[in-house]
Amino acid sequence: MTLETSTYLALLEQRIALLGSLATSLLSAREGLVCLDLHGLEQRILEQQKLCLDIHSLDAGIDRIQKQCAAQLGLLSTSSGKTVLARLPSPEGNRIEVVLTRLHQAQSTVKKLNREHQLLLRRSRRTVGALLNSYHSFALTYHQPRPLLPAGRP
């Protein structure tokens, strides 16, 4: 296995690991949203931002290696953005194909979870909007709660 191939595989493995962490973070954020754990949700959002930045910086390295070694590795990019092997399999090609398959699966999982997370956030926004409208419609019926007085004051 050449140095370029092993570097390329290592970068792909790192990307798969980061996508797995992002998927876990999306699941944790969903749990935080459902349980109304706003602090936990905020922490997951910060975690997701960091993971996305890490993935973005890693993608630059992957793109550079792909351009440098595309002919040697027999890689082609499809119109959908997937990277596939163009030549007949070899032991090295088989390893790359296995890793690329795992990468595509991880990307599909994150895309699905992201879509589900967006839908959950939209539904939550509608629920909060409905609750606010309900609160405003009864604003004249109920008085504003009195502010809490410090301890020891009547």
Side-chain angles (χ1 to χ4, degrees):
M1 189 176 294
T2 66
L3 178 62
E4 291 85 9
T5 304
S6 59
T7 303
Y8 180 64
L9 287 171
L11 289 173
L12 291 178
E13 292 287 353
Q14 286 176 10
R15 191 170 203 286
I16 291 168
L18 288 171
L19 287 170
S21 297
L22 184 57
T24 302
S25 182
L26 284 167
L27 289 171
S28 297
R30 178 192 308 170
E31 290 172 13
L33 191 61
V34 170
C35 296
L36 298 176
D37 177 13
L38 296 182
H39 178 70
L41 179 62
E42 289 173 350
Q43 292 301 314
R44 297 297 83 74
I45 290 170
L46 292 173
E47 182 181 303
Q48 291 166 16
Q49 287 175 337
K50 182 189 177 313
L51 288 168
C52 288
L53 287 173
D54 291 347
I55 290 170
H56 181 71
S57 65
L58 190 62
D59 283 346
I62 291 172
D63 289 343
R64 188 183 77 257
I65 294 274
Q66 278 180 333
K67 288 176 184 170
Q68 288 174 352
C69 317
Q72 175 190 350
L73 298 174
L75 300 172
L76 290 177
S77 289
T78 63
S79 59
S80 64
K82 286 186 175 182
T83 303
V84 294
L85 288 173
R87 60 183 168 162
L88 294 174
S90 64
E92 197 171 78
N94 288 339
R95 174 82 174 114
I96 291 172
E97 192 167 4
V98 167
V99 172
L100 287 174
T101 300
R102 287 183 37 235
L103 176 64
H104 297 313
Q105 289 170 344
Q107 288 171 327
S108 296
T109 300
V110 168
K111 187 175 181 178
K112 177 182 172 272
L113 289 171
N114 191 43
R115 233 180 294 118
E116 291 171 359
H117 191 70
Q118 287 175 337
L119 291 172
L120 183 60
L121 288 174
R122 281 191 201 112
R123 285 193 306 262
S124 297
R125 185 183 324 151
R126 285 194 301 258
T127 301
V128 168
L131 290 172
L132 282 173
N133 286 339
S134 176
Y135 174 76
H136 290 301
S137 69
F138 290 108
L140 298 175
T141 306
Y142 299 102
H143 298 287
Q144 287 284 347
R146 288 187 305 168
L148 294 175
L149 298 175
R153 294 190 68 193

